Amino acid sequence: MHDSHGAVAPVVEPRPARAETTAPAGREPSGNTVAWFDPVSGIAGDMALGALLDAGADLDFVTAQIDTLGLDGWKLGVERVTRNEIAATHAVVDAPEGHHHRRWRDIRELLAVSPLHERVRKRAMDVFEALAVAEGLVHGVPADEVHFHEVGALDAIVDIVGVCAALESLGVDAVCCGPVAVGKGTVNAAHGVLPNPPPAVVNLLADRPIVGVDIDMELTTPTGAAIVAALAGHFGAAPAMTIASSGFGAGTRELPGRPNVTGVLIGTVAGNEQATSLAADMAAVEGASSTTELVELATNLDDVSGEVLGHAIDALLGAGALDAWAVPIVMKKGRPAYTLTALCRPEDVTRLADLAAQLTGTLGLRARTVVRTALERHTSTVDVDGHTVRIKHGPHRSKPEWDDVVAAAESLNRPPADIAREAGS
């Protein structure tokens, strides 16, 4: 993991003795408590942790949760600092360089067997998986085989589990985030000189809003990007809330002309009890990996051709819709028609609604908030007569990737059903 814009400072406050971990110290979960991160100068793992500690997360609870992992050789302390005249908390993670670099699958096993609070474990799993997938894409290897310091270093483990424990201490039910600041130029990493923002950060923040800053420094690290990419269900302006507390987490260096801090607001969202309860129910589904509030855009069309409808679906997907589909209906006067629907993130609603209207000529659209739960999944590969076929594994079944099946079938001049059967056996 890269540190937050500089070298790790000496630990000011030593890690306390093991504390009780039976219940989080801090606010009781209310079902509608939200944390909104404001990465005005970027975000790193220690900056996010510092912001949450500054907002009132209990350091004893955080360190006790990290302690349940049974890892030695780390210390976590805090110090009060100022960055461009803004008072902030600097979370000082002391974990020696060169410590054992674990694979993502090693981290997953470590988290699975530890007595962490369940929501801390789930959030940490989500963050590490997002980070491993992003780094795997950079290096062209499966996420399970990612084996380098961005995933396995001890400081990354302390940062990520610490952030998830701090969220639990504050009783946070949902996370959202403002546009993420990124620097320019190049950065030095374990693999040599990389473009800035680093490729893993670009992968993690795909389809999320970023803001370029004219500073030749790494403002957002892969760990910081993974935290908000995996945990934030919404990117954009702060939601309507009643603020309960706020905090700033400091990076190590001073930045020219701006405070080197990540901000956070902790508050309660009023008038959303039903949606929050629904999200909690969906998150409890067996095998749930992530639960996100999304928006369904829809319009009824009785005067467009199949060609127009098909193009609209392709265009919406290409523009960032998470899914798009058409369902046949019968409208007034007995007219056969279609409902065109696009599933999207809240920050994409206006842009995709404009696109749907332009492509179809509709005179009106509607939108409704939905809660989507994605079940746990991972991918493995098998060899079928020299052809690699990916296998998608979910909680209840495994299935060969059909594009791989077809490619192998065409190359081997065999029926796709035979390839699928052999790959799945």
Side-chain angles (χ1 to χ4, degrees):
M1 184 199 78
H2 305 292
D3 62 53
S4 58
H5 322 157
V8 175
V11 174
V12 174
E13 181 176 324
R15 179 170 60 90
R18 184 187 296 266
E20 292 299 322
T21 62
T22 55
R27 297 181 185 85
E28 290 297 321
S30 62
N32 59 347
T33 300
V34 63
W36 178 73
F37 283 102
D38 185 16
V40 63
S41 294
I43 186 168
D46 57 345
M47 295 172 74
L49 178 54
L52 293 168
L53 291 169
D54 201 44
D58 186 87
L59 181 61
D60 288 346
F61 174 74
V62 170
T63 53
Q65 283 286 286
I66 301 170
D67 229 2
T68 66
L69 300 175
L71 301 173
D72 297 321
W74 62 276
K75 293 181 181 179
L76 172 62
V78 296
E79 60 178 346
R80 292 294 291 168
V81 298
T82 59
R83 296 289 182 260
N84 201 28
E85 306 304 320
I86 290 182
T89 291
H90 184 205
V92 187
V93 178
D94 182 14
E97 293 277 344
H99 200 277
H100 178 56
H101 296 165
R102 301 166 180 84
R103 293 182 175 90
W104 155 227
R105 63 189 183 197
D106 301 323
I107 300 292
R108 184 170 59 223
E109 182 177 351
L110 177 69
L111 295 171
V113 300
S114 66
L116 288 164
H117 275 268
E118 190 53 41
R119 192 157 59 168
V120 176
R121 182 196 335 277
K122 182 179 181 304
R123 283 171 167 164
M125 287 268 201
D126 290 344
V127 175
F128 273 112
E129 181 174 24
L131 182 55
V133 169
E135 295 285 7
L137 288 173
V138 173
H139 300 285
V141 298
D144 275 1
E145 298 304 316
V146 170
H147 187 191
F148 48 97
H149 72 295
E150 277 82 359
V151 172
L154 191 54
D155 58 349
I157 296 173
V158 173
D159 282 342
I160 292 171
V161 177
V163 165
C164 296
L167 290 168
E168 189 69 10
S169 172
L170 292 166
V172 171
D173 303 295
V175 176
C176 48
C177 185
V180 181
V182 296
K184 68 179 183 68
T186 60
V187 297
N188 294 317
H191 305 285
V193 176
L194 296 175
N196 187 23
V201 171
V202 173
N203 290 339
L204 286 159
L205 297 181
D207 298 323
R208 280 109 173 164
I210 64 170
V211 176
V213 178
D214 190 17
I215 295 178
D216 290 313
M217 290 170 55
E218 183 182 28
L219 300 183
T220 293
T221 68
T223 301
I227 288 169
V228 293
L231 301 184
H234 168 72
F235 279 78
M241 70 167 91
T242 300
I243 297 175
S245 66
S246 63
F248 289 107
T252 302
R253 296 182 185 177
E254 291 283 359
L255 299 181
R258 64 193 300 123
N260 185 12
V261 297
T262 294
V264 71
L265 302 180
I266 309 296
T268 55
V269 181
N272 200 29
E273 292 82 1
Q274 183 177 359
T276 302
S277 175
L278 178 59
D281 290 342
M282 291 293 287
V285 171
E286 180 182 355
S289 173
S290 63
T291 298
T292 311
E293 188 175 281
L294 300 173
V295 175
E296 279 189 2
L297 286 171
T299 182
N300 292 347
L301 304 166
D302 65 355
D303 59 353
V304 300
S305 67
E307 292 89 346
V308 169
L309 194 60
H311 175 253
I313 291 173
D314 288 343
L316 288 166
L317 291 170
L322 301 174
D323 201 356
W325 62 92
V327 176
I329 59 173
V330 176
M331 294 178 61
K332 61 187 178 182
K333 301 181 182 179
R335 294 175 179 171
Y338 289 91
T339 296
L340 172 65
T341 305
L343 183 68
C344 64
R345 297 184 180 91
E347 61 268 24
D348 294 330
V349 166
T350 301
R351 181 172 57 84
L352 293 180
D354 282 341
L355 179 61
Q358 293 164 9
L359 293 175
T360 65
T362 185
L363 297 178
L365 301 100
R366 55 192 179 275
R368 66 188 184 105
T369 299
V370 297
V371 175
R372 180 187 71 171
T373 289
L375 302 186
E376 294 174 353
R377 79 282 305 272
H378 68 278
T379 302
S380 64
T381 59
V382 297
D383 182 270
V384 178
D385 287 349
H387 294 266
T388 298
V389 177
R390 290 167 292 172
I391 308 294
K392 295 183 291 187
H393 304 277
H396 306 295
R397 70 167 179 167
S398 298
K399 179 181 178 182
E401 186 69 49
W402 189 249
D403 288 345
D404 294 352
V405 168
V406 171
E410 291 178 347
S411 177
L412 297 169
N413 195 26
R414 293 172 55 187
D418 289 353
I419 302 295
R421 191 179 307 111
E422 184 173 338
S425 61

